[in-house]
Amino acid sequence: MCLCGGLAENNARFILLAVVLAVYMLAGAALFQRLESDLEIRQAAEFWQVYHAFRRHHLRGSSLALQRLHELLYAYGNASATGIINKRRRWDFPGSFHFVSTIVSTIGYGSTAPQTTAGKAAVVLYGFFGCSGGILFFNLFLERIITLLAWILRSWHIRRLRRRLRRTTLTSRRISKSSSIQRSSRPDILDDDDHVDLDQWKPSVYWVMFYLSITSCIVACCAAALYAPLEDWDYFDALYFAFVSFTTIGFGDFVSTQKPSYPYVHWYRFANFVFLVVGCCCIYSLLNVTSIVIKQGLTYVIRKLQYGNQDVAAPYLPRRQSFVSTVYYSKRRPTRLGGRDAIRAEDNSDTPRRMSGEVISMKDFLSANKVSLAVMQKQLYDAAPKQRGGGSHAATPSHQVLKPGAVGPLAIASEKFESKNTINR
């Protein structure tokens, strides 16, 4: 379906997101300019004040001494930036392992960088395959963590449903005195819930986002509690470092395991590696789940602009799909039927069996037989040329069209949350 002006919905969403990001970046630039500009000017003034005071007291009219001072400051700045002084070795094996972990995880602090031409060439080749493998690892982690959360939410939902059904059964037992009625009133979900397919019920993206946020906060707080005493940082600085590292931003103003010595240094390096891996995976999953919410919000805005004040939130905003009807009807144990009921069961073997006495609306009937009607229509279409004497023609294959968002981490998250049903337009 196209928007006004012939603009497709995917293109409209892309343009809207670009505009929103541009406004967001402009607002962020104004915010950080206001927060950091005064401190930058004050620090520069303090440096030049110390510099000129040193020149007045120690370098009176000596141009050679002033030149030596500039050379010393330049060399000291380079040595401090590259970690040659006042820090541990960068290119021993633990330091090299820390360097390659920043490459594979795409953090890139900048505190350690190759200086030789061979090292820079090796970074290009090593980083290409390392970043590819790291992104694949993050995507596989994303798929499994969402599947795990979906299984937990599904189990909790089934347990809550079973408690509700048991309460209903106990109520019916008090009313009814017949044992046969008691047995028939108990739904089969209490016995067949182990066979429920997970793909038939999709969790709420908001609940998954909430649990991922809680998990990420716990990991970040535990990591900050480790970094703060060992690195001599404030707890908020350690928390800031954890966020910058886990999101793979990697400014490099704070870098762990850079001091010359640590207590229990081997355990600390191992814990640092574990926190970086787990934190990056959790934040990566959280960012991709959040992108689903942003995408749905943009779709809602586009629909709102297109349809005005009509109620468009229900079909397009993310919502958990209830699987009660699927479990209740399609997963019931088969029962013996006879006569007319058996014929009905054979005719409707592909559709969920309904309870006796239930009224079937035309909408439910068409929805249940959608696949059969589509197959019948295709068979009639293929048989039409033969009846007109056109001979047997090979059916034209339907080529798959690659849609935006069909690959990548967004597709993984969308597959776990969004409905597979297409909306008729």
Side-chain angles (χ1 to χ4, degrees):
M1 183 175 184
C2 295
L3 301 175
C4 22
L7 190 62
E9 181 179 325
N10 291 324
N11 296 332
R13 188 188 298 112
F14 172 77
I15 294 175
L16 180 60
L17 179 59
V19 172
V20 171
L21 284 178
V23 175
Y24 189 76
M25 292 170 66
L26 292 174
L31 173 65
F32 287 106
Q33 180 187 10
R34 184 175 182 83
L35 294 176
E36 300 293 335
S37 178
D38 294 339
L39 180 60
E40 178 189 23
I41 296 174
R42 189 164 59 251
Q43 288 177 343
E46 291 175 356
F47 169 78
W48 288 115
Q49 183 180 1
V50 173
Y51 173 80
H52 290 300
F54 183 86
R55 285 188 58 180
R56 285 193 305 267
H57 291 86
H58 302 282
L59 303 175
R60 297 178 180 178
S62 176
S63 59
L64 181 60
L66 181 61
Q67 182 181 357
R68 293 290 184 268
L69 174 63
H70 290 169
E71 292 176 355
L72 175 62
L73 292 176
Y74 181 77
Y76 183 84
N78 289 337
S80 178
T82 55
I84 298 176
I85 57 175
N86 300 328
K87 294 181 180 179
R88 66 168 178 82
R89 288 190 58 193
R90 299 297 179 90
W91 297 110
D92 56 354
F93 185 79
S96 301
F97 184 79
H98 182 268
F99 170 71
V100 297
S101 66
T102 61
I103 294 179
V104 174
S105 61
T106 69
I107 297 177
Y109 291 116
S111 58
T112 304
Q115 303 295 320
T116 63
T117 303
K120 294 176 182 178
V123 165
V124 174
L125 183 61
Y126 186 89
F128 177 79
F129 293 101
C131 293
S132 302
I135 292 174
L136 177 61
F137 178 79
F138 289 152
N139 288 336
L140 294 179
F141 182 88
L142 169 67
E143 185 176 4
R144 278 149 183 78
I145 192 64
I146 293 179
T147 303
L148 175 63
L149 289 176
W151 179 81
I152 294 174
L153 292 174
R154 166 187 170 272
S155 301
W156 177 76
H157 189 74
I158 289 179
R159 189 176 296 108
R160 185 179 60 179
L161 180 64
R162 293 175 64 182
R163 287 199 302 266
R164 184 165 63 245
L165 291 176
R166 283 197 178 97
R167 286 197 299 266
T168 305
T169 304
L170 292 176
T171 304
S172 63
R173 285 178 177 177
R174 296 190 186 98
I175 298 176
S176 176
K177 297 181 180 180
S178 174
S179 59
S180 60
I181 297 179
Q182 293 176 8
R183 179 59 184 172
S184 62
S185 63
R186 180 185 293 271
D188 293 337
I189 185 176
L190 298 179
D191 301 326
D192 295 343
D193 59 334
D194 294 335
H195 303 285
V196 179
D197 190 5
L198 181 61
D199 294 335
Q200 295 182 358
W201 182 81
K202 297 182 183 296
S204 170
V205 65
Y206 300 114
W207 280 111
V208 174
M209 180 179 174
F210 173 76
Y211 289 125
L212 280 176
S213 301
I214 295 297
T215 304
S216 301
C217 289
I218 292 175
V219 174
C221 291
C222 293
L226 174 69
Y227 294 134
L230 294 177
E231 299 288 349
D232 295 329
W233 296 339
D234 294 335
Y235 184 79
F236 183 80
D237 290 338
L239 195 62
Y240 159 80
F241 164 76
F243 173 79
V244 170
S245 300
F246 295 166
T247 54
T248 69
I249 296 175
F251 290 122
D253 50 349
F254 291 91
V255 182
S256 60
T257 67
Q258 300 298 300
K259 293 170 60 176
S261 61
Y262 292 95
Y264 308 104
V265 59
H266 298 294
W267 288 106
Y268 176 54
R269 287 172 177 171
F270 177 75
N272 176 65
F273 175 76
V274 171
F275 273 122
L276 287 179
V277 172
V278 176
C280 288
C281 290
C282 292
I283 293 293
Y284 180 84
S285 303
L286 176 61
L287 294 179
N288 282 283
V289 171
T290 307
S291 67
I292 294 293
V293 178
I294 296 176
K295 179 183 176 182
Q296 297 293 343
L298 294 174
T299 304
Y300 171 74
V301 172
I302 293 173
R303 295 293 175 175
K304 201 72 175 177
L305 294 176
Q306 182 179 12
Y307 293 109
N309 295 326
Q310 298 179 11
D311 186 12
V312 298
Y316 298 104
L317 287 181
R319 182 175 299 178
R320 183 181 64 194
Q321 297 180 353
S322 175
F323 72 115
V324 176
S325 59
T326 305
V327 174
Y328 193 73
Y329 296 128
S330 62
K331 296 298 181 180
R332 288 172 56 91
R333 292 192 302 269
T335 56
R336 296 182 179 179
L337 301 176
R340 187 177 302 175
D341 293 336
I343 299 176
R344 291 179 180 176
E346 294 178 359
D347 295 338
N348 300 284
S349 58
D350 295 334
T351 61
R353 184 173 66 85
R354 297 179 175 271
M355 298 180 63
S356 60
E358 184 177 358
V359 179
I360 303 178
S361 64
M362 182 59 67
K363 179 180 178 181
D364 294 338
F365 176 78
L366 293 177
S367 176
N369 294 274
K370 185 191 301 182
V371 178
S372 300
L373 293 175
V375 173
M376 184 185 303
Q377 183 179 8
K378 186 178 184 302
Q379 291 176 351
L380 293 175
Y381 177 78
D382 294 338
K386 297 181 180 180
Q387 295 179 358
R388 292 196 300 266
S392 60
H393 298 281
T396 303
S398 58
H399 299 283
Q400 296 288 340
V401 180
L402 184 61
K403 299 181 180 179
V407 294
L410 186 62
I412 296 175
S414 299
E415 183 182 359
K416 299 295 181 180
F417 300 121
E418 294 182 348
S419 174
K420 297 294 185 62
N421 299 327
T422 57
I423 301 175
N424 296 326
R425 294 174 178 156

